[in-house]
Amino acid sequence: MMLPSPYFTVGMLLASWVVVYLDTAAMDWRTVFVVLWMLLPYPSTAIKLDGGGYVDITIAIGAKVKQDDTLIDKIKEMVTDGSFYLYHALDKKVYLKDATILVPSHWSCKSCSKARTESFEKAKIKIDHAKLMEPRTKLYGECGKGGEYIHFTPDFLLNDSAIQMYGPRGKVFLHEWAHLRWGVYDEYNEEKPFYLSNGRVEYTRCTTNIEGQIFEVNGGSPQSCRINPETFLPSSDCKFFPNKDQNTDSSVMFSPSLEAVTTFCRETEHNYEAETQQNIICNNKATWTVIFEDSVDKDALSFLPPLPSTPSPPIFKLLQRKKRAVCLILDVSGSMATESRILRMRQAATHLLRNYVEEQASVGIVKFSTAASIVSSLTIIESDATRDHLINLLPETPGGSTNMCNGLRLGLQVLSEDDMDAIGDEIIFLTDGQATDDVTLCIPDAINSGAIIHTIALSDSAHNALQEMADKTGGIFFYSKDDFTSNQLMDAFASLTLSTGDHSNEPVQLESVGTRTSDWFNGTVSVDQTVGNKTSFVIIYERIFPAVYIQSPSGIVYTEAQMNHDNRLKTVTLKVAETAEPGDWAYSIKTSTDQAFTITVTSQASHEDVPPIIVKTRMNQQVSDGTKPMTVFAEVSQNYRPVINVEVWATLEPATGPIQSLQLLDNGAGADVMANDGIYSRYFTKMVNGRCSLKVRAKNQDGKARFAVQKRSGAPYVPGYVVDGVVELNPPNPSVSDEPIEVGSFTRTATGESFEVTLTGSTPPNFPPSKVTDLGAKILEEAVLLSWTAPGEDLDQGRAKSYEIRWSFDLDMLRQDFSNGHVVDTATVSPQEAGSVEQHAFNLSLPIQNGTTLFFAVQTLDEHDAKSDTSNIASASMILPNPKPPGISNPGLNLTVLVSSLCAVTIVICIIAGVTTWAVRRRRPALRI
């Protein structure tokens, strides 16, 4: 066993001193002791800032990546260079101190140590194959909250053409690190690359000091950009080519490819007008401001002095997960007889052993109550017979008290049988009650053992240490209530997989639903083209064996004769031979006795080289006091590619109180940060005290779902550079269709980690309407048309009371002092239900000169007159449809617009204008910004 760190030992001595002191003071010293050991420095999967150095950075390589030692060298090189760029970008305050590289288990790695709690799923930097080379960071939440993970492809690291297209790898790493750690967003906008600023065309960027030229490149040499005669903006085929040499050092979030660019945009140089992701999502704040005022490191960065000297390169260590070893530690105390808990535990454990534990993994079983005993030592899963043997050993008889320490200690002993320690192994710890022993005597050692500990609370009274134990070891915490129809325990066990990144070998849950009836229980499950292997239907009944019928899409009907009935477990199972037929499978269950049923359907990828569509879900907080809104997230994707237009519903089931159902949306409004990125979100406001479970169901049964054109946050592809006035093209970006690809019918369910609410008051607070984040503006002749997505009475739910709309010639004034903007009459505007599209047209109260840019913003009020935050600032320019728009100072651009306008009138004038344009182009090679 690994010895505790010196910090751990000192911490325990201090804790013991405090206990002695409190004991003499006749206080509740056990409670304080638990609090103290929760604060101790246990192994963690989270990145931390230690002084000026970032530590505990895990970089995981996906299981589908073939062994290539050069890849490890390239990772080290990128991170080392990234540390150098980070040090200089943030005034020499911080750097990368150490990093762990987790290599796949099938690689030969003699220098690798055994992984502890590190895993591919929990890693913050992932190296894995994807359709595109582009580096990107997965961002779920609001500005300043940090990202889920950075994704680099092996091709990006090994192919040096990536340096031309995206920039030096170390600086690209810095760009992605800023997304991941500080929650800043890109300072470009691929959907709106150009905008008008008081009659002048600008490229969307920060800062405007970055210079370049714009061209169209369609398979040949660069050509002058065409201008849209309606918007007076360059066409969608027009690209920006930055000058290779620049006179500004910011911003890394716009283009890390430029040599001169080494830092982040500050308020003094920030481009507030451009519709960058950073401006839209972060309230027009500069990236530097978000990093130092809103991010997780804001306090440390404000007080950290510059480092006295250039820091050393990061220290790297290589880790590798070995064969999976899992020990089930199962509570069989007397309270497990309540509500058939021990039966439901056996049903769920059977599901895990039969469908989720992979071949060649080792499984042990320990049971505990007053005492603990080994049910099975570590046993290698080699066949269905091995699985059945372990299933038959699952304990059936409850009795005694709940001595958690006996169970934990014996479970760790079982895991040490194969290699003398439990490092990197897994514990699945299930209990339904408060411990009758002193958990402070064993839980710290369990956490420090190096094992990943998943915990399941089979009642709301289960010990509070369960959640902390899972959190500190990289495990998952689940809460399951006694409601039979919720299927929560089956869902919890099904979620206890340790993903390696190879989803083609991992079970996917297609359906999990329950009901209570004395008649028919009917439904359909869609088996799509990405799954079909090892498909199984598991029906659990409460009392009497029912009649079960399952029909394939082609009409084949399966009855009890083709199914396995386990009378002891009260389960009926259909295992579909070979690959299940794609399409809608119908199930019908008939009973004449009032009883509860659940059905769980799982499958695996139908082809090894085609990953399945998967769904992941989580809350933005695992513990809440109700003062801040909670957010539900669900991500639908296939091999990192988002799936959009899916119907996604979340079910939140508290220990007490009614079940809450929320439709999650991917519309870029309310809780959802970005539209059509495959991340579906919604605020959860009806919180009640206690533990709460989370489950989502995603379906595409109306044919609307699509694989999206990639929405991302990451370093942009650069088509080329301007060098001494001449464009030098980069290699083409690997092509991807601009049209969304259709997805067939499918259903998926996923269970997220459970969470806990402890309200500071008796009821949850009333939240104001959510901020409008997608306000758009157009000027049509003398009228302005505004459009946005309606927020709600409480954040993004319900119907708000009213809107307050204002406009100004000065963006900064509107942002800083909304109440002083010009008022728009909204007497006729009645807010619609949250999520609806709102539009409002009005005439301007003041005469506006041609070429002028106006700025608009909106606030929303609820029934208590609580106001939302000010919306994103939308802009629109007054451009009259005459042949020569005033105020556009660039002669090349002006003449192109002139040509475009006159060609619509007469061919003769078009020829004359073309000759004039040719003459100008001889003096100036392209359009300049």
Side-chain angles (χ1 to χ4, degrees):
M1 298 285 288
M2 181 171 289
L3 294 174
S5 70
Y7 298 104
F8 177 84
T9 305
V10 172
M12 289 302 293
L13 288 171
L14 288 172
S16 300
W17 178 83
V18 172
V19 167
V20 172
Y21 174 79
L22 290 173
D23 191 38
T24 60
M27 295 179 67
D28 187 2
W29 58 269
R30 287 183 175 82
T31 301
V32 176
F33 194 100
V34 172
V35 172
L36 285 171
W37 66 251
M38 285 181 177
L39 297 174
L40 291 174
Y42 293 107
S44 173
T45 57
I47 297 171
K48 294 184 286 292
L49 181 57
D50 180 13
Y54 287 100
V55 298
D56 294 341
I57 304 166
T58 300
I59 306 165
I61 302 173
K64 300 283 274 189
V65 178
K66 294 181 179 179
Q67 179 157 0
D68 186 341
D69 292 339
T70 305
L71 181 61
I72 293 178
D73 294 335
K74 291 292 186 180
I75 293 171
K76 291 179 177 179
E77 180 183 301
M78 176 182 68
V79 175
T80 300
D81 291 346
S83 179
F84 171 82
Y85 285 116
L86 173 63
Y87 168 70
H88 287 282
L90 257 63
D91 292 346
K92 301 182 179 181
K93 290 189 172 190
V94 292
Y95 67 104
L96 306 178
K97 188 174 183 179
D98 66 48
T100 294
I101 301 175
L102 183 66
V103 306
S105 59
H106 63 81
W107 283 28
S108 174
C109 184
K110 294 181 180 179
S111 59
C112 284
S113 301
K114 189 176 179 182
R116 293 169 66 89
T117 60
E118 300 85 359
S119 67
F120 182 85
E121 190 67 25
K122 296 277 187 176
K124 288 298 184 180
I125 302 172
K126 299 183 180 183
I127 314 297
D128 203 5
H129 293 299
K131 190 175 181 65
L132 298 179
M133 181 195 293
E134 297 173 334
R136 60 179 62 90
T137 300
K138 181 67 67 175
L139 289 160
Y140 277 17
E142 60 193 89
C143 180
K145 295 304 181 185
E148 298 296 298
Y149 59 85
I150 300 171
H151 176 210
F152 296 111
T153 63
D155 197 24
F156 170 79
L157 289 160
L158 297 171
N159 186 345
D160 284 344
S161 67
I163 299 174
Q164 289 179 269
M165 295 188 288
Y166 303 104
R169 293 190 184 97
K171 206 186 295 184
V172 171
F173 181 92
L174 172 62
H175 178 106
E176 304 305 328
W177 179 267
H179 285 310
L180 176 74
R181 184 65 184 175
W182 305 311
V184 299
Y185 283 78
D186 290 320
E187 294 188 303
Y188 60 87
N189 190 331
E190 292 178 340
E191 293 185 346
K192 296 181 179 179
F194 300 97
Y195 66 99
L196 289 171
S197 177
N198 290 324
R200 177 181 175 82
V201 173
E202 292 283 1
Y203 187 72
T204 303
R205 68 201 190 281
C206 190
T207 69
T208 54
N209 294 329
I210 291 178
E211 297 179 342
Q213 301 180 23
I214 56 174
F215 297 97
E216 288 184 17
V217 180
N218 291 313
S221 60
Q223 304 293 324
S224 295
C225 290
R226 294 166 294 168
I227 301 298
N228 186 321
E230 294 182 2
T231 64
F232 294 96
L233 292 174
S235 71
S236 59
D237 292 327
C238 194
K239 305 297 181 186
F240 178 69
F241 293 81
N243 294 343
K244 189 75 171 178
D245 297 321
Q246 298 285 342
N247 294 318
T248 181
D249 61 358
S250 65
S251 167
V252 168
M253 300 315 293
F254 169 69
S255 183
S257 64
L258 299 172
E259 183 178 356
V261 171
T262 57
T263 188
F264 299 96
C265 199
R266 306 191 188 211
E267 293 293 342
T268 54
E269 57 191 352
H270 183 59
N271 181 4
Y272 297 99
E273 288 190 40
E275 289 193 55
T276 63
Q277 288 184 3
Q278 174 68 18
N279 276 342
I280 294 170
I281 298 171
C282 296
N283 297 325
N284 294 80
K285 290 183 179 180
T287 50
W288 186 274
T289 303
V290 173
I291 293 169
F292 278 81
E293 294 183 5
D294 299 328
S295 77
V296 66
D297 295 330
K298 60 183 180 182
D299 295 331
L301 290 174
S302 297
F303 293 102
L304 276 175
L307 295 166
S309 60
T310 303
S312 301
I315 299 172
F316 295 94
K317 59 181 177 181
L318 299 181
L319 299 181
Q320 189 174 41
R321 299 206 70 81
K322 306 302 181 182
K323 292 289 185 181
R324 189 182 185 193
V326 184
C327 184
L328 278 63
I329 305 178
L330 307 175
D331 184 352
V332 293
S333 62
S335 56
M336 287 292 289
T338 306
E339 300 291 342
S340 302
R341 289 174 184 171
I342 200 159
L343 172 61
R344 289 188 290 118
M345 178 191 74
R346 291 172 57 234
Q347 291 165 343
T350 296
H351 186 50
L352 172 79
L353 292 170
R354 189 158 278 154
N355 298 304
Y356 282 87
V357 179
E358 61 272 30
E359 293 287 322
Q360 298 304 308
S362 298
V363 177
I365 303 173
V366 167
K367 65 178 181 180
F368 72 93
S369 56
T370 306
S373 61
I374 298 174
V375 176
S376 173
S377 297
L378 285 179
T379 303
I380 299 175
I381 303 293
E382 296 179 318
S383 64
D384 286 345
T386 310
R387 298 178 190 272
D388 290 338
H389 171 71
L390 290 171
I391 290 168
N392 289 330
L393 292 176
L394 290 171
E396 300 183 38
T397 307
S401 58
T402 309
N403 196 319
M404 290 173 56
C405 284
N406 285 345
L408 276 172
R409 290 189 181 112
L410 196 56
L412 290 170
Q413 179 182 318
V414 168
L415 289 174
S416 300
E417 292 174 353
D418 55 349
D419 54 8
M420 305 304 292
D421 62 46
I423 293 175
D425 297 336
E426 293 173 77
I427 287 173
I428 299 175
F429 187 90
L430 180 146
T431 183
D432 75 335
Q434 287 285 348
T436 53
D437 58 339
D438 185 357
V439 296
T440 63
L441 300 178
C442 63
I443 289 183
D445 287 340
I447 292 175
N448 213 46
S449 68
I452 297 172
I453 305 176
H454 308 293
T455 56
I456 301 174
L458 191 49
S459 78
D460 192 42
S461 62
H463 201 283
N464 291 330
L466 295 180
Q467 188 164 350
E468 195 73 17
M469 195 158 51
D471 181 61
K472 288 187 178 296
T473 63
I476 308 173
F477 167 73
F478 292 106
Y479 157 71
S480 175
K481 64 190 301 184
D482 285 324
D483 179 17
F484 191 98
T485 61
S486 70
N487 216 26
Q488 289 174 344
L489 200 54
M490 289 280 285
D491 295 335
F493 272 85
S495 302
L496 297 176
T497 57
L498 202 63
S499 178
T500 62
D502 182 6
H503 295 293
S504 61
N505 291 321
E506 297 169 0
V508 177
Q509 189 166 271
L510 309 186
E511 183 62 286
S512 170
V513 66
T515 192
R516 179 172 292 278
T517 183
S518 58
D519 200 355
W520 287 96
F521 174 31
N522 302 314
T524 59
V525 180
S526 294
V527 176
D528 56 283
Q529 298 281 357
T530 69
V531 295
N533 283 346
K534 299 183 179 180
T535 303
S536 69
F537 294 73
V538 179
I539 295 99
I540 298 176
Y541 60 92
E542 185 181 16
R543 298 175 183 170
I544 306 299
F545 179 48
V548 180
Y549 308 93
I550 297 175
Q551 182 174 305
S552 73
S554 62
I556 299 173
V557 177
Y558 298 85
T559 64
E560 297 95 314
Q562 291 88 36
M563 303 177 192
N564 176 56
H565 176 217
D566 189 322
N567 186 52
R568 290 192 311 159
L569 289 175
K570 296 185 178 179
T571 60
V572 183
T573 304
L574 170 65
K575 285 194 171 184
V576 180
E578 299 180 347
T579 303
E581 181 184 349
D584 288 342
W585 288 67
Y587 58 86
S588 296
I589 302 168
K590 179 68 172 71
T591 180
S592 57
T593 302
D594 183 58
Q595 60 177 325
F597 295 99
T598 64
I599 182 167
T600 306
V601 185
T602 58
S603 190
Q604 291 190 23
S606 55
H607 302 281
E608 186 176 353
D609 56 346
V610 180
I613 296 170
I614 61 172
V615 177
K616 299 178 182 178
T617 184
R618 70 168 182 84
M619 303 295 295
N620 70 325
Q621 306 168 58
Q622 294 309 121
V623 179
S624 173
D625 61 5
T627 57
K628 295 181 180 179
M630 301 191 75
T631 306
V632 191
F633 297 111
E635 180 184 353
V636 187
S637 65
Q638 183 200 35
N639 195 33
Y640 303 98
R641 190 169 189 185
V643 182
I644 63 174
N645 300 337
V646 180
E647 184 180 341
V648 181
W649 286 86
T651 301
L652 300 107
E653 194 163 351
T656 58
I659 297 172
Q660 303 292 329
S661 293
L662 292 173
Q663 184 173 11
L664 308 186
L665 303 176
D666 184 18
N667 61 354
D672 194 62
V673 172
M674 193 178 300
N676 297 323
D677 63 351
I679 299 170
Y680 300 76
S681 317
R682 205 69 182 267
Y683 286 116
F684 174 50
T685 60
K686 297 180 179 178
M687 296 174 272
V688 296
N689 277 313
R691 290 171 174 150
C692 189
S693 65
L694 167 65
K695 181 177 179 178
V696 298
R697 187 174 192 269
K699 64 178 181 178
N700 174 45
Q701 293 179 316
D702 54 11
K704 294 181 179 179
R706 300 286 188 272
F707 290 116
V709 176
Q710 184 69 57
K711 292 280 187 129
R712 63 189 185 86
S713 293
Y717 163 76
V718 182
Y721 303 95
V722 178
V723 181
D724 296 327
V726 179
V727 172
E728 295 182 356
L729 295 177
N730 280 333
N733 197 22
S735 60
V736 61
S737 173
D738 289 336
E739 295 297 323
I741 301 172
E742 292 187 9
V743 179
S745 295
F746 71 86
T747 54
R748 295 288 189 276
T749 61
T751 300
E753 191 166 2
S754 300
F755 59 96
E756 187 162 5
V757 175
T758 306
L759 298 176
T760 54
S762 58
T763 59
N766 290 318
F767 295 104
S770 58
K771 167 188 167 182
V772 171
T773 56
D774 60 352
L775 181 66
K778 292 181 180 179
I779 296 180
L780 306 173
E781 297 181 352
E782 296 183 357
V784 176
L785 176 63
L786 300 180
S787 60
W788 67 95
T789 301
E793 170 73 10
D794 291 315
L795 298 172
D796 59 2
Q797 293 162 52
R799 186 191 298 265
K801 174 187 172 184
S802 62
Y803 295 116
E804 181 178 342
I805 301 174
R806 294 181 181 268
W807 68 274
S808 175
F809 296 105
D810 185 346
L811 181 150
D812 196 51
M813 187 279 288
L814 197 61
R815 183 173 72 96
Q816 300 284 359
D817 193 6
F818 174 81
S819 60
N820 277 337
H822 296 284
V823 178
V824 175
D825 184 3
T826 59
T828 60
V829 182
S830 180
Q832 301 184 67
E833 191 72 17
S836 303
V837 176
E838 299 274 30
Q839 286 191 329
H840 180 52
F842 59 94
N843 293 323
L844 294 167
S845 57
L846 298 174
I848 308 299
Q849 291 185 349
N850 197 20
T852 302
T853 298
L854 308 179
F855 302 96
F856 305 87
V858 60
Q859 290 183 349
T860 312
L861 287 76
D862 66 11
E863 291 294 336
H864 304 283
D865 288 331
K867 289 185 177 182
S868 69
D869 290 338
T870 304
S871 70
N872 65 296
I873 309 295
S875 64
S877 294
M878 171 70 80
I879 301 293
L880 298 180
N882 58 32
K884 185 177 180 180
I888 300 180
S889 59
N890 186 308
L893 181 57
N894 188 41
L895 284 172
T896 306
V897 174
L898 177 62
V899 170
S900 197
S901 301
L902 292 180
C903 282
V905 181
T906 171
I907 298 176
V908 177
I909 298 177
C910 184
I911 294 172
I912 296 171
V915 172
T916 307
T917 302
W918 173 80
V920 173
R921 286 179 183 154
R922 294 194 63 186
R923 297 194 304 274
R924 170 171 268 174
L927 311 180
R928 298 181 186 276
I929 293 182

